[in-house]
Amino acid sequence: MTGDRPALLGRGPGGAVRAAALLLPGGSIDSRRPPLRIADLGLLLPRLALRDRGAPLGLAVHLLRYRYRGWNGGDGDTAADTSWALGLLAERYPQAPVVLVGNSLGGRAAVAAADHPAVTGVAGIAPWLPAAQRVEPLAGRPLLIVHGAADRSEAPAADSLDFARRARAAGVVTARFLVPGAGHYLLRRGRDWSALVAAFTLAAAGLAPMPALIRRAADPGADLSMPLPSAGTLGS
């Protein structure tokens, strides 16, 4: 399968599908080797949170398995696979909004493919957002970024801050939260950041109200390095 075509994993909630979340794992900058299954673990907590909270609301949760491990230059093999998956979801769930949730490499793929007509929001978890990544695909879609404050990997927190500033300057509704002391893998406070991502995803999909805390963080004058709140404050 890998190396030949991508695969869309997961299924609908068992009843009518009102919206979908497409989860995009991490990977490498350059590699045409098969993707590592361990990369899926970066999305395990939000995947479970979205299944638990989203299934009763009609949310289908799917994970994309890329052809290759890497972005591989230019417009990116990962972004091409994401566009393929969005086309498949549009056939499977006509008229259903789709929210993209990308971890690391998948965060860049989510931004790059966000201009698909079905996409209504993007969440980036420690996203890889280099200076070359354009903000234009996000036009009209809200953006949430969660990043470890101590992330100095090839997807550093400093780059996502620069991207968030560019996105907000371009008119994109943008909220960004930092996890104090956390590195790229966000091993700290998993319950809190996964709850934040799930709440944003359900709201961007039109299945729930956007939490007031996220709305305040997305205000044009709000701090783009806001400390991550606890899960219990999302309704406040």
Side-chain angles (χ1 to χ4, degrees):
M1 178 272 296
T2 52
D4 297 321
R5 60 182 181 178
L8 191 63
L9 309 180
R11 56 189 177 185
V17 173
R18 298 174 56 201
L22 177 58
L23 277 58
L24 307 170
S28 305
I29 293 177
D30 289 296
S31 175
R32 285 193 164 81
R33 298 181 67 185
L36 293 169
R37 300 295 176 91
I38 196 171
D40 298 353
L41 293 178
L43 290 166
L44 177 61
L45 291 177
R47 189 179 186 183
L48 293 175
L50 286 167
R51 281 179 176 174
D52 290 345
R53 295 184 55 187
L57 302 175
L59 181 74
V61 181
H62 291 278
L63 178 79
L64 177 59
R65 183 67 42 73
Y66 312 126
R67 291 169 295 161
Y68 309 116
R69 192 178 304 176
W71 181 267
N72 301 326
D75 293 334
D77 289 324
T78 316
D81 291 351
T82 302
S83 295
W84 169 86
L86 285 167
L88 188 58
L89 289 175
E91 293 178 4
R92 192 175 295 182
Y93 311 125
Q95 310 303 315
V98 179
V99 179
L100 301 176
V101 180
N103 174 228
S104 192
L105 174 82
R108 185 177 185 185
V111 169
D115 56 359
H116 187 281
V119 174
T120 56
V122 169
I125 303 165
W128 174 47
L129 294 170
Q133 180 54 52
R134 299 182 304 114
V135 302
E136 288 81 1
L138 287 165
R141 288 98 172 161
L143 170 67
L144 172 71
I145 293 174
V146 181
H147 220 131
D151 187 348
R152 295 175 181 83
S153 67
E154 291 175 316
D159 282 3
S160 78
L161 175 58
D162 177 69
F163 184 87
R165 287 170 173 161
R166 290 193 287 121
R168 188 175 279 181
V172 177
V173 175
T174 303
R176 180 176 178 271
F177 294 87
L178 286 179
V179 184
H184 186 63
Y185 296 106
L186 289 172
L187 299 179
R188 301 186 180 198
R189 299 185 57 193
R191 175 177 175 270
D192 292 331
W193 64 255
S194 59
L196 183 77
V197 169
F200 170 86
T201 301
L202 293 174
L207 300 178
M210 185 68 75
L213 188 146
I214 298 179
R215 294 201 310 270
R216 291 195 296 269
D219 184 89
D223 186 4
L224 284 168
S225 296
M226 190 172 291
L228 177 72
S230 66
T233 67
L234 285 177
S236 62

Short mmCIF file of all heavy atoms in Angstrom, two decimals, residues 98-135:
data_model
loop_
_atom_site.label_atom_id
_atom_site.label_comp_id
_atom_site.label_asym_id
_atom_site.label_seq_id
_atom_site.Cartn_x
_atom_site.Cartn_y
_atom_site.Cartn_z
N VAL A 98 -15.31 19.53 6.93
CA VAL A 98 -14.15 18.75 7.38
C VAL A 98 -13.19 19.68 8.11
O VAL A 98 -12.86 20.76 7.61
CB VAL A 98 -13.42 18.08 6.20
CG1 VAL A 98 -12.20 17.30 6.70
CG2 VAL A 98 -14.36 17.17 5.42
N VAL A 99 -12.74 19.26 9.28
CA VAL A 99 -11.71 19.98 10.01
C VAL A 99 -10.43 19.16 9.96
O VAL A 99 -10.45 17.95 10.20
CB VAL A 99 -12.13 20.24 11.47
CG1 VAL A 99 -11.02 20.97 12.23
CG2 VAL A 99 -13.42 21.06 11.51
N LEU A 100 -9.33 19.80 9.63
CA LEU A 100 -8.03 19.15 9.53
C LEU A 100 -7.28 19.30 10.85
O LEU A 100 -7.17 20.42 11.37
CB LEU A 100 -7.21 19.76 8.40
CG LEU A 100 -7.85 19.69 7.00
CD1 LEU A 100 -6.98 20.41 5.98
CD2 LEU A 100 -8.06 18.24 6.59
N VAL A 101 -6.77 18.19 11.37
CA VAL A 101 -6.00 18.19 12.62
C VAL A 101 -4.65 17.56 12.30
O VAL A 101 -4.57 16.35 12.07
CB VAL A 101 -6.73 17.40 13.72
CG1 VAL A 101 -5.92 17.43 15.01
CG2 VAL A 101 -8.13 17.96 13.96
N GLY A 102 -3.60 18.38 12.27
CA GLY A 102 -2.30 17.90 11.84
C GLY A 102 -1.24 18.01 12.92
O GLY A 102 -1.13 19.04 13.60
N ASN A 103 -0.46 16.96 13.07
CA ASN A 103 0.65 16.93 14.02
C ASN A 103 1.98 17.07 13.27
O ASN A 103 2.24 16.31 12.33
CB ASN A 103 0.63 15.61 14.80
CG ASN A 103 1.83 15.44 15.72
OD1 ASN A 103 2.46 14.39 15.74
ND2 ASN A 103 2.15 16.45 16.49
N SER A 104 2.80 18.04 13.66
CA SER A 104 4.14 18.22 13.11
C SER A 104 4.08 18.37 11.58
O SER A 104 3.50 19.32 11.07
CB SER A 104 5.03 17.04 13.55
OG SER A 104 6.37 17.30 13.28
N LEU A 105 4.64 17.41 10.84
CA LEU A 105 4.56 17.43 9.37
C LEU A 105 3.11 17.55 8.91
O LEU A 105 2.80 18.28 7.96
CB LEU A 105 5.18 16.14 8.83
CG LEU A 105 5.07 15.88 7.32
CD1 LEU A 105 6.15 16.64 6.57
CD2 LEU A 105 5.17 14.39 7.02
N GLY A 106 2.21 16.86 9.59
CA GLY A 106 0.80 16.91 9.23
C GLY A 106 0.19 18.28 9.44
O GLY A 106 -0.80 18.64 8.78
N GLY A 107 0.77 19.09 10.33
CA GLY A 107 0.29 20.45 10.51
C GLY A 107 0.53 21.29 9.27
O GLY A 107 -0.33 22.10 8.88
N ARG A 108 1.68 21.09 8.64
CA ARG A 108 1.93 21.82 7.40
C ARG A 108 1.01 21.33 6.29
O ARG A 108 0.48 22.14 5.50
CB ARG A 108 3.39 21.66 6.96
CG ARG A 108 3.71 22.51 5.73
CD ARG A 108 5.15 22.45 5.31
NE ARG A 108 5.38 23.39 4.20
CZ ARG A 108 6.52 23.50 3.54
NH1 ARG A 108 7.57 22.73 3.87
NH2 ARG A 108 6.64 24.36 2.54
N ALA A 109 0.80 20.02 6.22
CA ALA A 109 -0.11 19.49 5.21
C ALA A 109 -1.52 20.04 5.39
O ALA A 109 -2.21 20.36 4.41
CB ALA A 109 -0.13 17.97 5.29
N ALA A 110 -1.95 20.18 6.65
CA ALA A 110 -3.28 20.72 6.92
C ALA A 110 -3.42 22.14 6.40
O ALA A 110 -4.42 22.50 5.78
CB ALA A 110 -3.56 20.66 8.42
N VAL A 111 -2.40 22.95 6.65
CA VAL A 111 -2.44 24.34 6.17
C VAL A 111 -2.41 24.38 4.65
O VAL A 111 -3.19 25.11 4.01
CB VAL A 111 -1.26 25.14 6.76
CG1 VAL A 111 -1.13 26.49 6.07
CG2 VAL A 111 -1.45 25.34 8.26
N ALA A 112 -1.54 23.59 4.04
CA ALA A 112 -1.37 23.62 2.59
C ALA A 112 -2.64 23.19 1.85
O ALA A 112 -2.92 23.68 0.75
CB ALA A 112 -0.20 22.74 2.19
N ALA A 113 -3.40 22.27 2.44
CA ALA A 113 -4.60 21.74 1.78
C ALA A 113 -5.89 22.39 2.26
O ALA A 113 -6.98 21.98 1.86
CB ALA A 113 -4.68 20.22 2.01
N ALA A 114 -5.77 23.44 3.08
CA ALA A 114 -6.96 24.02 3.73
C ALA A 114 -7.90 24.71 2.76
O ALA A 114 -9.05 24.99 3.13
CB ALA A 114 -6.52 25.00 4.81
N ASP A 115 -7.46 25.00 1.55
CA ASP A 115 -8.34 25.71 0.62
C ASP A 115 -9.34 24.78 -0.08
O ASP A 115 -10.11 25.22 -0.95
CB ASP A 115 -7.54 26.50 -0.41
CG ASP A 115 -6.55 25.66 -1.19
OD1 ASP A 115 -6.46 24.45 -0.93
OD2 ASP A 115 -5.85 26.22 -2.06
N HIS A 116 -9.36 23.50 0.28
CA HIS A 116 -10.41 22.61 -0.25
C HIS A 116 -11.76 23.13 0.22
O HIS A 116 -11.91 23.54 1.38
CB HIS A 116 -10.19 21.19 0.25
CG HIS A 116 -11.09 20.18 -0.37
ND1 HIS A 116 -12.41 20.01 0.03
CD2 HIS A 116 -10.90 19.29 -1.38
CE1 HIS A 116 -12.97 19.07 -0.69
NE2 HIS A 116 -12.08 18.60 -1.55
N PRO A 117 -12.78 23.14 -0.64
CA PRO A 117 -14.07 23.74 -0.25
C PRO A 117 -14.74 23.09 0.95
O PRO A 117 -15.57 23.74 1.60
CB PRO A 117 -14.92 23.59 -1.52
CG PRO A 117 -14.21 22.63 -2.39
CD PRO A 117 -12.77 22.73 -2.05
N ALA A 118 -14.42 21.86 1.28
CA ALA A 118 -15.05 21.21 2.43
C ALA A 118 -14.42 21.63 3.76
O ALA A 118 -15.03 21.44 4.81
CB ALA A 118 -14.97 19.69 2.28
N VAL A 119 -13.21 22.17 3.74
CA VAL A 119 -12.48 22.45 4.98
C VAL A 119 -13.04 23.70 5.66
O VAL A 119 -13.17 24.76 5.04
CB VAL A 119 -10.98 22.61 4.71
CG1 VAL A 119 -10.24 23.05 5.97
CG2 VAL A 119 -10.39 21.29 4.20
N THR A 120 -13.33 23.57 6.96
CA THR A 120 -13.88 24.69 7.72
C THR A 120 -13.00 25.09 8.90
O THR A 120 -13.37 26.00 9.65
CB THR A 120 -15.29 24.35 8.24
OG1 THR A 120 -15.23 23.15 9.01
CG2 THR A 120 -16.27 24.16 7.07
N GLY A 121 -11.87 24.45 9.08
CA GLY A 121 -10.96 24.82 10.16
C GLY A 121 -9.73 23.96 10.15
O GLY A 121 -9.73 22.86 9.57
N VAL A 122 -8.66 24.46 10.80
CA VAL A 122 -7.38 23.74 10.87
C VAL A 122 -6.84 23.84 12.29
O VAL A 122 -6.77 24.93 12.87
CB VAL A 122 -6.36 24.32 9.88
CG1 VAL A 122 -4.96 23.74 10.14
CG2 VAL A 122 -6.78 24.04 8.44
N ALA A 123 -6.43 22.69 12.85
CA ALA A 123 -5.73 22.65 14.13
C ALA A 123 -4.35 22.06 13.90
O ALA A 123 -4.22 20.98 13.31
CB ALA A 123 -6.51 21.81 15.14
N GLY A 124 -3.33 22.76 14.37
CA GLY A 124 -1.95 22.29 14.26
C GLY A 124 -1.39 21.96 15.63
O GLY A 124 -1.39 22.81 16.53
N ILE A 125 -0.92 20.73 15.81
CA ILE A 125 -0.32 20.28 17.07
C ILE A 125 1.19 20.20 16.85
O ILE A 125 1.66 19.37 16.07
CB ILE A 125 -0.88 18.91 17.48
CG1 ILE A 125 -2.41 18.97 17.60
CG2 ILE A 125 -0.25 18.43 18.78
CD1 ILE A 125 -3.06 17.60 17.64
N ALA A 126 1.94 21.09 17.49
CA ALA A 126 3.38 21.21 17.23
C ALA A 126 3.65 21.22 15.73
O ALA A 126 4.46 20.45 15.22
CB ALA A 126 4.15 20.08 17.92
N PRO A 127 2.97 22.09 14.98
CA PRO A 127 3.05 22.02 13.52
C PRO A 127 4.38 22.49 12.97
O PRO A 127 5.02 23.39 13.52
CB PRO A 127 1.91 22.96 13.07
CG PRO A 127 1.82 23.96 14.18
CD PRO A 127 2.09 23.19 15.44
N TRP A 128 4.79 21.86 11.88
CA TRP A 128 5.97 22.29 11.13
C TRP A 128 5.52 23.35 10.14
O TRP A 128 4.86 23.04 9.15
CB TRP A 128 6.59 21.09 10.41
CG TRP A 128 7.73 21.44 9.51
CD1 TRP A 128 8.80 22.25 9.80
CD2 TRP A 128 7.94 20.99 8.16
NE1 TRP A 128 9.65 22.33 8.72
CE2 TRP A 128 9.14 21.57 7.71
CE3 TRP A 128 7.20 20.16 7.32
CZ2 TRP A 128 9.64 21.32 6.43
CZ3 TRP A 128 7.70 19.92 6.04
CH2 TRP A 128 8.91 20.49 5.61
N LEU A 129 5.86 24.59 10.41
CA LEU A 129 5.40 25.71 9.59
C LEU A 129 6.59 26.61 9.24
O LEU A 129 6.76 27.69 9.82
CB LEU A 129 4.31 26.50 10.32
CG LEU A 129 3.01 25.73 10.56
CD1 LEU A 129 2.10 26.50 11.49
CD2 LEU A 129 2.31 25.44 9.23
N PRO A 130 7.41 26.18 8.29
CA PRO A 130 8.58 26.99 7.91
C PRO A 130 8.16 28.26 7.19
O PRO A 130 7.00 28.43 6.79
CB PRO A 130 9.35 26.05 6.97
CG PRO A 130 8.29 25.15 6.40
CD PRO A 130 7.29 24.96 7.49
N ALA A 131 9.12 29.14 7.02
CA ALA A 131 8.84 30.45 6.40
C ALA A 131 8.27 30.30 5.00
O ALA A 131 7.55 31.18 4.52
CB ALA A 131 10.11 31.29 6.38
N ALA A 132 8.57 29.19 4.33
CA ALA A 132 8.10 28.99 2.95
C ALA A 132 6.61 28.69 2.88
O ALA A 132 6.01 28.79 1.80
CB ALA A 132 8.88 27.86 2.29
N GLN A 133 6.00 28.32 4.00
CA GLN A 133 4.59 27.94 3.97
C GLN A 133 3.69 29.17 3.87
O GLN A 133 3.74 30.06 4.70
CB GLN A 133 4.21 27.13 5.21
CG GLN A 133 2.76 26.71 5.23
CD GLN A 133 2.35 25.95 3.98
OE1 GLN A 133 3.01 24.99 3.60
NE2 GLN A 133 1.29 26.39 3.32
N ARG A 134 2.85 29.21 2.84
CA ARG A 134 1.95 30.35 2.63
C ARG A 134 0.74 30.26 3.57
O ARG A 134 0.31 29.17 3.94
CB ARG A 134 1.47 30.37 1.17
CG ARG A 134 2.58 30.51 0.14
CD ARG A 134 2.02 30.57 -1.27
NE ARG A 134 1.19 29.42 -1.59
CZ ARG A 134 -0.13 29.47 -1.81
NH1 ARG A 134 -0.78 30.62 -1.76
NH2 ARG A 134 -0.80 28.38 -2.11
N VAL A 135 0.20 31.42 3.89
CA VAL A 135 -0.99 31.47 4.74
C VAL A 135 -2.28 31.52 3.91
O VAL A 135 -3.37 31.27 4.45
CB VAL A 135 -0.95 32.70 5.68
CG1 VAL A 135 0.29 32.65 6.55
CG2 VAL A 135 -1.02 34.00 4.90
#
